[in-house]
Amino acid sequence: MYNKKYRLVKFEEFGRHNSLYDNMLGQVCYPVYFNVGERGWFLYDNDIWFEPLHRVHTSTIKEVTYTNDNQIIVTTQNTRFTFALISEGKE
């Protein structure tokens, strides 16, 4: 998982809007740590700021689903993220 690139294709918020997610939509992401009952971590490739990769710390994870069509759906206390695997050569 750690050497594969994903794209954040969708996010759904369950409360207050976090404007950071607007910048992340469509960006390359790297799942780091998704464990139910704990806060999660992922990186996203940010070509806007000075740092090439930005760390994102999620709220407590309620569910992690790995789909047959190469997606990871992470449901946290505040947000549901959908990441889609990027096939080699198709960034």
Side-chain angles (χ1 to χ4, degrees):
M1 177 187 330
Y2 299 107
N3 61 347
K4 295 182 180 178
K5 294 180 182 180
Y6 288 80
R7 189 169 309 281
L8 180 63
V9 294
K10 183 178 178 182
F11 67 89
E12 302 166 67
E13 297 173 303
F14 307 132
R16 190 173 58 152
H17 177 61
N18 185 339
S19 60
L20 175 66
Y21 300 153
D22 295 330
N23 294 331
M24 293 176 7
L25 193 61
Q27 297 294 326
V28 173
C29 295
Y30 301 90
V32 175
Y33 185 79
F34 295 141
N35 193 22
V36 174
E38 299 182 39
R39 296 178 72 118
W41 287 95
F42 66 93
L43 305 174
Y44 86 95
D45 198 350
N46 182 3
D47 55 3
I48 299 171
W49 298 340
F50 295 106
E51 297 178 19
L53 291 175
H54 184 72
R55 295 175 300 207
V56 178
H57 194 209
T58 72
S59 57
T60 303
I61 294 175
K62 293 183 172 187
E63 182 180 23
V64 180
T65 305
Y66 298 89
T67 68
N68 290 337
D69 55 346
N70 292 320
Q71 290 188 334
I72 303 173
I73 301 170
V74 180
T75 304
T76 72
Q77 183 177 355
N78 301 321
T79 310
R80 179 176 297 119
F81 299 98
T82 303
F83 301 96
L85 182 66
I86 298 172
S87 300
E88 286 189 34
K90 294 190 178 186
E91 283 185 51

